[in-house]
Amino acid sequence: MADLAVVILTHNESIHLARAIRHIKDVANEIFVVDSFSTDDTVEIAKAHGATVLQNRFVNYAKQFQWALQNAPITSNWIMRLDADEIIEPDLANEIASKLPSLPSDVTGINLRRKLVFMNRTINYGGRGILVLLRIWRRGLAEIEDRWMDEHMIVREGRTVTFVGGFSDHNLNNLTFFTDKHNKYATREAVDALNQRLHFMPTPESMSVEKSSLQAAAKRYVKEQVYNKIPFQISTLAYFLYRYFARVGFLDGREGLIYHVLQGFWYRFLVGAKITELQVATSHLTRPEDIKAELQRITGLDLETAPPSNPGIVISG
C-alpha cells in the first residue's frame, strides 16, 4: 500500500461507493468517507468496506471538502480527492503504488488524467476527452478553492507531475438524475458568476498554472475572461457548435450527441438564463449584504461565508 489517504464525499451514493472503494482499497492505507447524512445505505456500505465515516451538513463541495481536510484523522503523507462515481483503474493503482514513494521532495502534487463515460460510452471528442486534474497532494500543502462551482485543488508550493494511468468518471444514474443535478449546478454557477461581478461574498483568486494543472487554469481563464463576457444567447450556441463540429464531438455517436447537447448547450444556456434572472431580482439592491440575503432567499443556498456549523461528527470505521 502507498502512504495515501483517500477522501470521498457522499450523499446517497450507494450505487457507486462500493465500486469506488474496491478500486482503491489495495493502494490506499486510509479511506475516509465524509457523508452529508445520506438516507440510503451509503454509510453502511462505507463501513462494510473498511472506510472511516464522518458526517457533516453539506453547504457546497468546497466547504465540505475543506471541512474533511480539517477534521478527518488523516495520518498519511499523501491525500487523494476522489468522487464516489470515479474509478481508479488497475494501471493507475499500480502507478500510484510504485511511483508515490520515490517522488522527489519538491513534488507536492500529482495530476490525474480523467476520462468521461456517459451512458456507458467513453466521450473522446468535443474537448471533453481527457481532463487533467490535481487529485493527489502532500498533506498540508494543498487546499480547495472556496467556490460555489468549478472548484479545484491548488498546491501552495512545489511542483506537480502527471500520472498517465486510467482514471474515469462513470456515473451510473439516469438522465433524470443528470438533468436534476445540472439544474442545481446551474444555480450554484450562476451565483458564483454573479459574485465575480457584484462581490457580495469574498472572491477567490483565479488559480495560477503553478498551483494547478495547465489545462484547468487555461479553461478557467477562457471561461472567466472571454466566455462570461459574451451575451449567453450567443456564447452558448457558439460553444456548442465549437464543441460539436470544430472539436468533432459528432464522432462520439448517439450518446455523444445527447451529452454535448445537454452539457454543452442546455446546461450553459441554463446558467446564462439564471444569471439574468438573479441579476434582475437584485438590480434594486446596492449593499452586498442585501444582495447576498436576497440571493439566499431566492436560491435556497446557504451563502454564509463562515464554515458550516457542525451538528455533530459521527466517526466510525
Side-chain angles (χ1 to χ4, degrees), residues 110-129:
I110 300 168
N111 298 314
L112 303 182
R113 294 165 46 85
R114 190 183 72 180
K115 63 186 177 184
L116 172 68
V117 180
F118 179 79
M119 298 181 71
N120 292 317
R121 178 176 183 138
T122 300
I123 301 299
N124 292 311
Y125 303 99
R128 305 295 293 182

Side-chain angles (χ1 to χ4, degrees), residues 205-260:
E205 285 183 37
S206 285
M207 62 183 172
S208 66
V209 172
E210 294 78 15
K211 292 183 176 182
S212 189
S213 75
L214 174 61
Q215 184 194 55
K219 284 177 176 288
R220 169 75 55 75
Y221 179 84
V222 171
K223 184 167 127 179
E224 293 183 352
Q225 301 302 320
V226 180
Y227 180 89
N228 285 350
K229 296 181 179 180
I230 302 172
F232 78 93
Q233 301 93 325
I234 299 172
S235 61
T236 51
L237 179 60
Y239 178 58
F240 169 72
L241 294 175
Y242 168 74
R243 267 174 59 162
Y244 199 66
F245 293 104
R247 298 298 300 272
V248 295
F250 59 84
L251 293 179
D252 285 317
R254 180 185 61 186
E255 294 82 4
L257 174 62
I258 295 170
Y259 175 74
H260 292 300

Side-chain angles (χ1 to χ4, degrees), residues 84-289:
D85 60 356
E86 293 175 337
I87 304 170
I88 301 298
E89 297 174 10
D91 60 336
L92 177 56
N94 292 333
E95 188 176 10
I96 292 170
S98 62
K99 291 184 178 179
L100 205 62
S102 60
L103 290 174
S105 59
D106 66 323
V107 173
T108 56
I110 300 168
N111 298 314
L112 303 182
R113 294 165 46 85
R114 190 183 72 180
K115 63 186 177 184
L116 172 68
V117 180
F118 179 79
M119 298 181 71
N120 292 317
R121 178 176 183 138
T122 300
I123 301 299
N124 292 311
Y125 303 99
R128 305 295 293 182
I130 294 291
L131 296 180
V132 181
L133 304 166
L134 178 67
R135 286 303 189 89
I136 304 175
W137 61 92
R138 291 189 190 271
R139 179 160 55 97
L141 294 181
E143 60 189 355
I144 194 166
E145 295 178 293
D146 187 11
R147 288 176 172 266
W148 277 90
M149 272 296 295
D150 195 30
E151 67 289 315
H152 292 277
M153 296 303 306
I154 55 175
V155 292
R156 298 194 190 99
E157 59 185 69
R159 63 185 179 93
T160 63
V161 296
T162 300
F163 286 178
V164 299
F167 175 42
S168 58
D169 174 356
H170 186 181
N171 193 289
L172 301 173
N173 286 297
N174 60 22
L175 287 177
T176 298
F177 178 91
F178 179 92
T179 52
D180 180 62
K181 179 179 73 172
H182 279 75
N183 179 42
K184 294 174 182 176
Y185 281 174
T187 300
R188 294 171 182 272
E189 186 165 346
V191 168
D192 203 42
L194 201 57
N195 184 49
Q196 293 175 35
R197 303 177 189 179
L198 302 180
H199 307 292
F200 50 85
M201 295 186 297
T203 305
E205 285 183 37
S206 285
M207 62 183 172
S208 66
V209 172
E210 294 78 15
K211 292 183 176 182
S212 189
S213 75
L214 174 61
Q215 184 194 55
K219 284 177 176 288
R220 169 75 55 75
Y221 179 84
V222 171
K223 184 167 127 179
E224 293 183 352
Q225 301 302 320
V226 180
Y227 180 89
N228 285 350
K229 296 181 179 180
I230 302 172
F232 78 93
Q233 301 93 325
I234 299 172
S235 61
T236 51
L237 179 60
Y239 178 58
F240 169 72
L241 294 175
Y242 168 74
R243 267 174 59 162
Y244 199 66
F245 293 104
R247 298 298 300 272
V248 295
F250 59 84
L251 293 179
D252 285 317
R254 180 185 61 186
E255 294 82 4
L257 174 62
I258 295 170
Y259 175 74
H260 292 300
V261 168
L262 290 179
Q263 202 277 338
F265 178 73
W266 171 78
Y267 172 68
R268 299 306 331 162
F269 194 93
L270 186 61
V271 171
K274 289 196 176 196
I275 292 173
T276 300
E277 178 185 48
L278 297 179
Q279 278 183 312
V280 171
T282 58
S283 60
H284 63 291
L285 302 172
T286 56
R287 297 197 310 163
E289 57 268 31

